[in-house]
């Protein structure tokens, strides 16, 4: 298992479009991914769970990946988040 803490930099937070981009990218990996915020684990492959979490700009989150391609998955997830999902 690998994990890293980061901050949401996208002005609009983790809203519908970034959540869709994120889930689509993470679905290509075999590993499991969780977003941890306020001691709650959110399934990083579920757009509904991400949307229900209302993750806003400036929120500190931890990305946790577990599985055979966990390092690559974590690297891509962190890059997406820190780049503001290209917005």
């Amino acid at each position: 298992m690998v994990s890293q803490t980061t901050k949401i930099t996208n002005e609009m937070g983790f809203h519908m479009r970034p959540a869709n981009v994120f889930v689509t990218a993470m679905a290509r990996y075999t590993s499991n991914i969780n977003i941890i915020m306020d001691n709650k684990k959110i399934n990083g492959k579920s757009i509904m769970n991400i949307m229900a979490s209302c993750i806003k700009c400036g929120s500190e989150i931890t990305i946790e990946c577990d599985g055979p391609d966990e390092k690559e998955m974590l690297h891509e997830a962190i890059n997406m988040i820190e780049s503001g999902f290209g917005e």
Side-chain angles (χ1 to χ4, degrees), residues 14-29:
F14 220 144
H15 62 90
M16 181 62 105
R17 196 198 71 75
N20 183 48
V21 169
F22 187 82
V23 168
T24 301
M26 296 303 106
R28 293 190 301 256
Y29 293 92

Side-chain angles (χ1 to χ4, degrees), residues 64-83:
E64 180 182 86
C65 302
D66 186 28
D69 51 3
E70 62 191 21
K71 289 179 185 172
E72 297 86 0
M73 183 184 222
L74 178 64
H75 179 74
E76 184 172 359
I78 293 297
N79 283 342
M80 290 178 76
I81 293 165
E82 291 182 349
S83 73

